[in-house]
Amino acid sequence: MAIVTVNGVRLFYEIHGTGVPLVLVHGSWDSHRNWDLVVPRLAEVFRVLTYDRRGHSQSERPGLRPSDWRLFTEN
């Protein structure tokens, strides 16, 4: 399990494979697990990064005010 702190929030991530980086981002109310079926195949060619967005699954869920939504784009 890998954790990185971005803008003061701990985010969970996984990296698989080697090669050109490919970042897979899940939708709302989901997690990095959405990509489990495709990651093995993609990792044959790419260095695949999957992660849990701020407030999802294994990433930290800080309290946010409506004005803080712009922070989601910075993570």
Side-chain angles (χ1 to χ4, degrees):
M1 175 160 105
I3 300 284
V4 64
T5 301
V6 178
N7 294 327
V9 177
R10 294 170 33 125
L11 301 177
F12 171 87
Y13 71 95
E14 291 183 347
I15 295 177
H16 302 274
T18 59
V20 178
L22 175 64
V23 179
L24 301 178
V25 183
H26 65 79
S28 294
W29 300 286
D30 289 324
S31 76
H32 73 284
R33 301 305 239 163
N34 287 56
W35 304 109
D36 282 356
L37 294 177
V38 298
V39 166
R41 180 78 171 158
L42 291 171
E44 293 174 9
V45 179
F46 299 99
R47 182 172 187 222
V48 182
L49 167 71
T50 60
Y51 72 102
D52 289 330
R53 291 172 37 209
R54 167 193 287 259
H56 292 79
S57 193
Q58 297 178 57
S59 288
E60 187 175 7
R61 182 183 306 262
L64 290 176
R65 298 179 313 272
S67 61
D68 292 335
W69 285 102
R70 64 179 169 70
L71 292 175
F72 279 92
T73 62
E74 296 175 7
N75 291 163

